[in-house]
Amino acid sequence: MATAGAPLAEDRAVSQTVRAELMLRDLILAGEIRPGERLAELAIVERIGVSRTPVRAALMKLAEEGLLEAIPSGGYAARAFGEREVLDAIELRGTLEGLAARLAAERGASSTALDRLRDLLARLDEAVARIAASEDAFTLYIDLNAAFHREITRLAASRVVERQIERAMSLPFASPSAFVRAQSESPEAGRILILAQDQHHCIVDAITRREGARAEALMREHSRLAGRNLAMALRSRAALARVPGAALIQIRTE
Amino acid sequence: MATAGAPLAEDRAVSQTVRAELMLRDLILAGEIRPGERLAELAIVERIGVSRTPVRAALMKLAEEGLLEAIPSGGYAARAFGEREVLDAIELRGTLEGLAARLAAERGASSTALDRLRDLLARLDEAVARIAASEDAFTLYIDLNAAFHREITRLAASRVVERQIERAMSLPFASPSAFVRAQSESPEAGRILILAQDQHHCIVDAITRREGARAEALMREHSRLAGRNLAMALRSRAALARVPGAALIQIRTE
DNA sequence: GGTATTCCTCCTGTATACATTATTTCTGGA
DNA sequence: TCCAGAAATAATGTATACAGGAGGAATACC
């Protein structure tokens, strides 16, 4: 069945459901579907070339993620988010990551886990130092930052907590690195990253000393940097364009 | 359309997917499926009498809820929860409800909303007073308690927060009323309900005075009462049997 | 001209047949 | 007796046909 001239290269291996999910998510995040617009299954079938069954599965998944909302009479529509909802999503992520940080501190991290964290910190330090010089450093920072947050989540050593954090971050603009790129052109960029990275250090220190309350408070405040970045991003169309899922954010036009 | 002799009474009206979901959830919660056991679609089809399509949808939903886990090679298996995971789920719920209570306090509740809360408090007071006398009072308390928690969640005035709380409570033993019934036979029952109800009062007071930090701390501690109830329930098979979803809780046998 | 009603179209819900992949069981050999 | 391999079996993944219902357009009536 694998036709030549494959326009989808390596995607051949994965299931149709996963493919539908990825393509549909991209379509939504790219803003190709206007918020509120109904997503007809057959229209998607034609667009991405798989049958209704996997499309249906993908729609259900994306609705669970929060990108779509179920229409009472059936079907799904693209969801829009106001500035306030984006802030709430960030606050929610901060609260959950704060819980994870506190649990990590209270339950104690193994020395190998702490070593992993310190290694990430060192590499983040290096990335921050290079930010002014090269554009690549931003990409590196984003990757390392994501890995750092993931590691803290893991240290909570709780499946239910981990799962919930994953879900909270399924909204693309709620992820820890969502707004890092937004201010890559801004003169403040370097300053904010220095603040963020110092918080990273403090969080690891708190976990090491098993200071749960401190770890939690720091992690919450850390997430609010993203909120500050959002406010800045909303003032510049160019900055907002660099935020993943920006198309879903509805800007008040008055 | 309700046919006579209906074995499923009102269920006729709802969709097959919803029916499959409800029946399957009941089956799992009743412990008819051993944790770890694979749930073959065809087996379910035979058991609940709908075709594979709605069964598949139901499986996906229950997996999202956390009752099932996806098997890497395909399909789903029933999930089991250790004591620690149940406690984590309760802590998670407390953290999220704490966030909701703080937001409710910070954003301010309308006077009509506060009236609703006070009305619920009064009815809860009454139910607590009658606990010793009648068994019905327990059921009433559970309903009112659920309504109280729902109202706080609503007062956060945030769709994303509300959604996340709903998801955290989709594990049946994580709901605010899960362990109330567990200790209905216990002599301590009345005492714990008095504590819980006093916390309810304090939480409403904090929200009224817009004391966000206090509201949050109280709500978190409030959830820990459920943790204490869990510890008690685990010491008595009879008590545990009254907890929803108890079949999913794996008791350490040593 | 506006409103209500009917009809038509399109969309989702459901069942099922087919394809593909995982798992188990049976057999042969060491 | 245990292990390896192959065949058989059973499960999921996928496509599609059909049924029922929602929503919109057109027409008739007021």
Side-chain angles (χ1 to χ4, degrees):
Chain A
M1 202 209 271
T3 52
L8 294 157
E10 55 178 358
D11 281 1
R12 286 252 104 261
V14 306
S15 73
Q16 302 291 70
T17 303
V18 171
R19 194 194 311 191
E21 197 186 320
L22 292 174
M23 293 180 82
L24 202 45
R25 190 186 288 112
D26 284 350
L27 240 52
I28 296 166
L29 261 42
E32 305 244 343
I33 288 114
R34 269 185 301 282
E37 195 177 321
R38 187 197 203 115
L39 284 153
E41 288 173 9
L42 283 176
I44 301 166
V45 164
E46 282 178 29
R47 199 148 178 182
I48 68 183
V50 301
S51 81
R52 275 185 65 203
T53 307
V55 165
R56 234 166 138 50
L59 285 169
M60 287 176 77
K61 274 218 157 184
L62 295 175
E64 278 298 332
E65 277 185 26
L67 256 45
L68 303 176
E69 59 190 333
I71 297 169
S73 65
Y76 299 93
R79 178 111 155 62
F81 297 87
E83 179 180 348
R84 164 78 167 278
E85 283 187 291
V86 177
L87 282 171
D88 284 350
I90 292 169
E91 185 76 17
L92 180 63
R93 192 249 302 166
T95 302
L96 288 170
E97 284 193 322
L99 170 64
R102 174 166 69 82
L103 290 179
E106 288 172 358
R107 293 177 177 178
S110 71
S111 60
T112 63
L114 285 174
D115 283 345
R116 266 199 307 278
L117 273 181
R118 292 204 194 90
D119 178 57
L120 282 167
L121 277 183
R123 287 156 71 195
L124 276 163
D125 277 334
E126 210 180 316
V128 171
R130 290 214 328 255
I131 287 285
S134 85
E135 178 65 20
D136 291 346
F138 260 107
T139 312
L140 181 63
Y141 178 88
I142 286 171
D143 289 347
L144 289 172
N145 183 51
F148 178 85
H149 282 260
R150 215 178 302 123
E151 185 67 22
I152 301 277
T153 298
R154 268 201 50 225
L155 285 182
S158 168
R159 250 170 109 175
V160 285
V161 171
E162 216 169 321
R163 249 181 77 93
Q164 200 78 353
I165 291 178
E166 251 169 49
R167 291 193 198 176
M169 300 201 326
S170 66
L171 291 179
F173 43 73
S175 94
S177 305
F179 289 95
V180 172
R181 229 198 186 93
Q183 26 103 30
S184 61
E185 300 284 300
S186 149
E188 295 195 86
R191 202 165 58 88
I192 291 189
L193 286 188
I194 288 169
L195 294 176
Q197 175 63 359
D198 190 65
Q199 289 174 332
H200 287 160
H201 278 280
C202 292
I203 288 164
V204 173
D205 185 60
I207 291 174
T208 307
R209 297 172 190 271
R210 311 190 70 155
E211 297 167 348
R214 180 177 165 225
E216 174 164 25
L218 279 166
M219 196 52 127
R220 283 207 193 182
E221 198 58 32
H222 183 54
S223 79
R224 291 190 184 114
L225 271 185
R228 283 159 73 174
N229 280 342
L230 167 66
M232 285 172 51
L234 287 176
R235 273 189 259 113
S236 149
R237 186 168 297 276
L240 196 58
R242 281 188 287 270
V243 175
L248 306 179
I249 304 175
Q250 221 145 41
I251 309 160
R252 220 189 307 282
T253 46
E254 0 135 28
Chain B
M1 202 208 267
T3 53
L8 295 157
E10 52 178 1
D11 281 3
R12 288 251 105 258
V14 306
S15 73
Q16 302 291 71
T17 304
V18 171
R19 193 190 315 190
E21 198 187 318
L22 293 174
M23 294 180 82
L24 203 46
R25 189 184 290 113
D26 284 349
L27 240 53
I28 297 166
L29 261 40
E32 304 245 342
I33 289 115
R34 269 185 302 280
E37 194 177 323
R38 186 197 204 113
L39 284 152
E41 289 173 10
L42 281 176
I44 300 165
V45 163
E46 281 178 31
R47 199 147 177 182
I48 68 183
V50 301
S51 82
R52 275 184 65 204
T53 308
V55 165
R56 227 158 151 38
L59 285 170
M60 288 176 77
K61 273 218 155 182
L62 295 175
E64 277 297 332
E65 276 183 27
L67 255 45
L68 303 176
E69 60 189 334
I71 298 169
S73 67
Y76 299 92
R79 178 113 156 59
F81 297 86
E83 179 179 348
R84 164 79 168 276
E85 283 185 292
V86 177
L87 281 172
D88 283 352
I90 292 169
E91 186 76 16
L92 180 63
R93 193 249 300 167
T95 301
L96 288 171
E97 285 194 322
L99 170 62
R102 175 166 70 82
L103 290 179
E106 288 173 357
R107 293 177 178 178
S110 69
S111 59
T112 64
L114 285 174
D115 283 345
R116 266 200 304 280
L117 274 181
R118 294 205 193 91
D119 178 56
L120 282 167
L121 277 183
R123 287 155 72 192
L124 277 163
D125 277 333
E126 211 180 315
V128 170
R130 290 216 325 257
I131 287 286
S134 84
E135 178 66 18
D136 292 345
F138 261 106
T139 312
L140 182 62
Y141 179 88
I142 287 171
D143 290 346
L144 289 171
N145 183 51
F148 179 84
H149 282 258
R150 214 176 304 124
E151 186 66 22
I152 303 276
T153 298
R154 267 201 49 224
L155 284 182
S158 167
R159 250 171 108 173
V160 285
V161 171
E162 217 170 321
R163 249 183 78 95
Q164 200 78 351
I165 291 179
E166 252 168 51
R167 291 195 203 178
M169 301 202 323
S170 66
L171 292 177
F173 43 73
S175 92
S177 305
F179 289 95
V180 172
R181 228 198 186 94
Q183 25 103 30
S184 62
E185 301 284 299
S186 151
E188 293 196 88
R191 205 165 56 88
I192 291 190
L193 286 189
I194 288 169
L195 294 176
Q197 175 62 2
D198 190 64
Q199 289 174 332
H200 287 159
H201 277 281
C202 292
I203 288 163
V204 172
D205 185 59
I207 291 175
T208 306
R209 296 173 191 271
R210 312 190 69 155
E211 298 168 348
R214 181 179 165 223
E216 175 164 25
L218 279 166
M219 195 54 127
R220 282 207 193 180
E221 198 58 33
H222 183 52
S223 79
R224 290 187 187 117
L225 270 185
R228 282 157 74 175
N229 281 342
L230 168 67
M232 285 173 52
L234 287 175
R235 273 188 261 116
S236 151
R237 187 168 296 275
L240 197 58
R242 280 188 288 270
V243 175
L248 307 179
I249 303 174
Q250 221 145 41
I251 308 159
R252 222 188 305 281
T253 46
E254 359 135 29

